[in-house]
Amino acid sequence: MPPFVLLALAIAAEVTGTVSLKLSEGFSKPIPSVLVVIGYGISFSALAALLKSGFPVGVAYAIWAAIGVAAVALIGAFFLKEPFTLTMAAGLVLVIGGVVLLELGSRH
């Protein structure tokens, strides 16, 4: 599987697991609870395959974490009605900007 497909799969699965963790209400709801385990299992498996392919761990983790944080924050705001302020938006911009700089720096 191409590296960025593995990375996208890892991110999507992690976001699914994290949102499901919120929806599981402390693992008291069975379907979201199962999705937590499946989501994290797929995410870590895809991330492991990505790293095994030779993808740099620092860049992989930075992209995985930053996009995951941004996606979960936006899903929380738009679908779970959690607060989202301009300060939080600025923080997400800084996180994503840092990942871009890591990616650019790894190419030298």
Side-chain angles (χ1 to χ4, degrees), residues 7-94:
L7 184 55
L9 177 62
I11 292 166
E14 186 270 333
V15 169
T16 300
T18 300
V19 172
S20 296
L21 189 59
K22 168 78 173 178
L23 297 175
S24 77
E25 295 182 11
F27 293 109
S28 65
K29 294 189 174 182
I31 292 174
S33 298
V34 169
L35 289 175
V36 170
V37 175
I38 291 170
Y40 285 135
I42 291 170
S43 181
F44 287 118
S45 295
L47 195 57
L50 176 67
L51 297 176
K52 184 177 179 183
S53 77
F55 202 89
V57 68
V59 174
Y61 186 71
I63 294 170
W64 179 76
I67 293 176
V69 165
V72 169
L74 294 173
I75 289 168
F78 289 112
F79 297 105
L80 303 175
K81 307 300 184 220
E82 295 179 349
F84 190 79
T85 65
L86 285 175
T87 303
M88 294 167 74
L92 289 178
V93 168
L94 290 171

